[in-house]
């Protein structure tokens, strides 16, 4: 099967300097963040002073800026086609709200059955379906912006409705039934809605308003040829800033207890790999073109670490094992998902290359 997104393996070589060596910049940003956290141990506490409730303001700004450019590129007039494709929507919901949470729960029991705090933190990550960073990974992998936006919107609705119920079942009820130590958890729908509104609603509205206001004032040609190239680098710059910020928060602790980090990281790596490959394979069997398939796979593989961290800190405290596991989540997700971007391109070359 071929489509308009298939051919460009060679196009990636024509990207700008920042884009071309993105993997290198990400790993350098991780090293810088860990170094800051280690050699300047008060940095994490200082960054946390810029918080409102469970929302860290610098982190929120970085994430919002990171997602703003992709949302300006979404052709919202095409969104109707996304929601008419009930097969894709159904598969995505099944992957996100059945397969994903259950898989992470099983991996948490296997790898962290004797560490209830870390186990709970991992479960909270698995229940928080991705509504933010997936936009970036999808953009980097040449996925469909319209499908990514549609699937993320759907995930957001289900997240508000189901996260509290899922958290109670997977953290308090099911572990006890299986003979594991369980923990009490209480999360309101309002708290979930607030997090979704900050990390998804704000960049979505900004992107939507920018697109239609500027096209109306300056025209579509100016918007595509001038404005989009101007704002596009903001995504990668903000991504690197966010990575440095996240790693600096726990940089010192990461170096102090590396085996704990490894124990938390291992099931996450397994999770990302399984979810991505299974999702991509299912999409291929369904006959989805590459751009749609990439959106399905990245939406299923990613997690909303902002929500998981906010919940863990809000309920168990910033120095809890649950919060530590939550922070390790994105630290593993970032390099894992950037590698999956490269895997997506290799799948495109293998399964969607022009004949």
């Amino acid at each position: 099967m071929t489509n308009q997104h298939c051919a460009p393996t060679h196009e990636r070589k024509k990207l700008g300097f920042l884009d071309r060596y993105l993997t290198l910049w990400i790993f350098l940003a991780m090293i810088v963040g860990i170094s800051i956290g280690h050699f300047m141990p008060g940095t994490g506490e200082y960054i946390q002073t810029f918080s409102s409730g469970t929302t860290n303001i610098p982190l929120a700004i970085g994430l919002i800026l990171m997602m703003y450019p992709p949302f300006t590129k979404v052709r919202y007039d095409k969104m109707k086609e996304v929601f008419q494709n009930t097969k894709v929507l159904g598969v995505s919901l099944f992957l996100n709200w059945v397969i994903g949470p259950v898989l992470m729960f099983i991996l948490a029991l296997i790898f962290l059955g004797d560490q209830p705090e870390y186990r709970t933190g991992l479960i909270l990550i698995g229940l928080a379906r991705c509504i933010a960073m997936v936009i970036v990974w999808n953009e980097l992998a040449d996925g469909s912006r319209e499908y990514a936006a549609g699937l993320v919107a759907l995930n957001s609705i289900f997240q508000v409705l189901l996260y509290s119920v899922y958290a109670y079942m997977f953290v308090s009820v099911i572990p006890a039934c299986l003979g594991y130590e369980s923990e009490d958890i209480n999360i309101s729908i309002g708290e979930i809605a607030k997090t979704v509104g900050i990390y998804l609603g704000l960049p979505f509205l900004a992107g939507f308003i920018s697109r239609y206001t500027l096209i109306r004032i300056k025209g579509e040609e100016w918007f595509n040829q001038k404005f989009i190239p101007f704002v596009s680098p903001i995504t990668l710059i903000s991504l690197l800033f966010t990575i440095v910020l996240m790693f600096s928060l726990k940089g010192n602790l990461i170096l102090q207890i590396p085996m704990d980090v490894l124990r938390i990281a291992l099931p996450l790596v397994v999770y990302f790999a399984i979810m991505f490959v299974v999702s991509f394979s299912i999409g291929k069997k369904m006959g989805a073109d590459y751009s749609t398939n990439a959106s399905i796979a990245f939406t299923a593989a990613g997690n909303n670490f902002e929500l998981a961290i906010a919940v863990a800190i809000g309920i168990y405290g910033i120095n809890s094992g649950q919060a530590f596991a939550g922070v390790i989540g994105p630290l593993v997700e970032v390099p894992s998902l950037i590698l999956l971007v490269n895997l997506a391109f290799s799948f495109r070359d293998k399964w969607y290359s022009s004949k």
Side-chain angles (χ1 to χ4, degrees):
M1 184 180 298
T2 62
N3 69 20
Q4 61 181 340
H5 295 281
C6 295
T9 44
H10 59 280
E11 287 184 13
R12 296 183 70 213
K13 298 177 182 177
K14 299 177 182 178
L15 293 174
F17 184 70
L18 183 63
D19 304 85
R20 194 181 310 156
Y21 299 104
L22 179 61
T23 305
L24 173 62
W25 307 141
I26 285 178
F27 279 102
L28 286 176
M30 292 164 58
I31 293 170
V32 169
I34 290 176
S35 300
I36 291 173
H38 179 67
F39 294 109
M40 303 171 64
T43 303
E45 288 75 8
Y46 178 73
I47 293 173
Q48 289 294 347
T49 62
F50 296 96
S51 297
S52 176
T54 57
T55 302
N56 182 266
I57 294 172
L59 183 59
I61 291 173
L63 289 164
I64 290 168
L65 287 175
M66 184 170 58
M67 291 184 293
Y68 168 69
F71 276 124
T72 65
K73 302 173 187 177
V74 174
R75 295 171 297 172
Y76 294 96
D77 54 315
K78 302 289 185 181
M79 291 294 292
K80 183 179 178 181
E81 300 174 14
V82 176
F83 289 102
Q84 287 177 336
N85 194 336
T86 54
K87 182 188 290 186
V88 168
L89 295 181
V91 168
S92 181
L93 287 176
F94 180 73
L95 288 167
N96 274 282
W97 294 100
V98 178
I99 301 299
V102 171
L103 175 61
M104 189 71 90
F105 179 78
I106 291 172
L107 291 173
L109 292 183
I110 292 173
F111 287 91
L112 296 166
D114 62 333
Q115 296 284 343
E117 290 190 2
Y118 291 162
R119 186 186 72 223
T120 296
L122 204 66
I123 291 170
L124 291 176
I125 294 173
L127 301 181
R129 310 314 301 162
C130 197
I131 62 168
M133 291 286 282
V134 64
I135 298 295
V136 178
W137 307 129
N138 182 76
E139 183 80 2
L140 295 175
D142 288 345
S144 167
R145 298 182 186 114
E146 290 69 42
Y147 269 94
L151 296 177
V152 160
L154 207 58
N155 264 355
S156 301
I157 296 170
F158 275 77
Q159 195 141 260
V160 171
L161 297 176
L162 294 180
Y163 191 85
S164 301
V165 178
Y166 267 45
Y168 174 71
M169 292 299 297
F170 281 92
V171 173
S172 297
V173 178
I174 299 177
C177 293
L178 297 176
Y180 289 89
E181 180 181 337
S182 63
E183 298 184 8
D184 293 329
I185 190 165
N186 182 26
I187 318 166
S188 71
I189 290 178
E191 290 175 302
I192 309 303
K194 177 185 174 183
T195 303
V196 171
I198 291 172
Y199 295 113
L200 178 68
L202 290 179
F204 169 79
L205 283 175
F208 180 86
I209 292 170
S210 296
R211 182 176 182 87
Y212 282 98
T213 301
L214 291 174
I215 286 178
R216 180 172 296 180
I217 295 173
K218 303 287 288 185
E220 190 166 357
E221 183 177 352
W222 177 90
F223 182 83
N224 290 328
Q225 294 184 6
K226 299 292 185 181
F227 182 74
I228 291 298
F230 174 74
V231 299
S232 290
I234 295 174
T235 292
L236 300 183
I237 294 169
S238 300
L239 174 61
L240 297 175
F241 165 77
T242 304
I243 291 169
V244 171
L245 198 66
M246 290 189 302
F247 274 73
S248 65
L249 286 171
K250 295 291 183 180
N252 196 38
L253 195 56
I254 289 170
L255 296 178
Q256 287 178 0
I257 48 174
M259 291 311 297
D260 287 36
V261 173
L262 187 61
R263 287 197 63 183
I264 297 168
L266 192 55
L268 285 167
V269 171
V270 174
Y271 171 85
F272 294 137
I274 291 176
M275 286 299 294
F276 185 83
V277 172
V278 168
S279 302
F280 209 101
S281 300
I282 290 175
K284 181 66 172 64
K285 288 183 179 180
M286 285 171 48
D289 63 22
Y290 170 78
S291 62
T292 302
N293 206 357
S295 301
I296 294 171
F298 280 106
T299 305
N303 292 91
N304 182 2
F305 60 81
E306 307 90 355
L307 174 60
I309 293 171
V311 168
I313 292 174
I315 295 176
Y316 301 106
I318 192 169
N319 294 316
S320 65
Q322 293 89 342
F324 182 68
V327 171
I328 296 302
L331 306 190
V332 178
E333 183 182 61
V334 168
S336 297
L337 269 291
I338 197 64
L339 291 175
L340 291 180
V341 168
N342 293 317
L343 181 60
F345 281 118
S346 78
F347 284 160
R348 183 176 67 179
D349 295 342
K350 180 179 178 181
W351 292 336
Y352 295 93
S353 57
S354 300
K355 302 296 183 184

